[in-house]
Amino acid sequence: MKIRYTKKKVRTNILFSFLFVIYALYKSVYLTIKSDSIKWIGFILLIIAIIWFIKCILKSTNYYLSIDNGIIKERNFFRKKTALEDISYLRKTDDQYIIKTAKSELVVYSKDVEEKSLKSLDKVLATLDLPAEKYPFAVSQ
């Protein structure tokens, strides 16, 4: 199962990163031509802008989390892995899900996740067998 980023977030990031690339091109190329000396800060800015733009494009094709074979994998540079059976604490708020194990903590920001994917994540997390005080999906009787 794949938990995707919201389309609005992806589009906004692509737009701003593209504008940053245009600005960095202006700072590096145009100002270098105009002043007849190389503006290194502009080229460094251009490299950072291109890296950010590529990262945003990859986010549009990739996803936020994946859940396969009982393991939740966060899809970022450091790629955290959490086994569903190792989860000892789960907290759900309006903004985020906090998933804790004995060794690590994974925070899923619900603003960054599509609504359909969020419902799928809720279904998977609802199948966990945790004590009621550590489990927001528990039904109080």
Side-chain angles (χ1 to χ4, degrees):
M1 174 187 323
K2 297 177 182 175
I3 310 298
R4 298 202 171 272
Y5 288 101
T6 61
K7 291 178 182 171
K8 180 180 178 182
K9 180 178 179 61
V10 170
R11 288 179 187 150
T12 304
N13 281 341
I14 289 174
L15 174 68
F16 282 117
S17 63
F18 180 72
L19 293 174
F20 187 38
V21 168
I22 298 298
Y23 175 73
L25 275 170
Y26 166 76
K27 288 292 273 188
S28 61
V29 176
Y30 178 73
L31 292 179
T32 298
I33 291 170
K34 187 176 178 183
S35 68
D36 294 331
S37 65
I38 297 176
K39 302 291 184 187
W40 289 108
I41 193 73
F43 286 103
I44 293 170
L45 193 66
L46 181 62
I47 291 170
I48 293 169
I50 290 171
I51 290 171
W52 185 33
F53 184 70
I54 290 170
K55 182 182 171 188
C56 291
I57 294 295
L58 289 176
K59 270 189 175 183
S60 71
T61 59
N62 288 333
Y63 39 90
Y64 190 32
L65 294 172
S66 67
I67 303 172
D68 292 321
N69 300 325
I71 296 176
I72 298 175
K73 296 178 188 174
E74 188 176 20
R75 307 292 291 184
N76 63 12
F77 188 68
F78 297 107
R79 297 193 184 212
K80 291 183 185 177
K81 293 181 183 178
T82 304
L84 289 174
E85 59 196 32
D86 294 341
I87 294 174
S88 59
Y89 178 79
L90 178 64
R91 182 171 178 225
K92 179 182 174 184
T93 63
D94 291 338
D95 299 359
Q96 62 191 9
Y97 292 76
I98 300 171
I99 302 168
K100 291 185 181 180
T101 64
K103 298 179 183 177
S104 65
E105 177 176 311
L106 176 67
V107 179
V108 178
Y109 296 97
S110 54
K111 292 179 188 174
D112 296 345
V113 178
E114 280 184 343
E115 192 67 35
K116 183 179 176 184
S117 295
L118 208 54
K119 289 178 184 176
S120 300
L121 180 63
D122 281 344
K123 286 180 186 177
V124 170
L125 295 178
T127 62
L128 296 176
D129 187 27
L130 294 174
E133 65 274 359
K134 297 181 178 182
Y135 190 59
F137 298 100
V139 179
S140 40
Q141 299 176 2

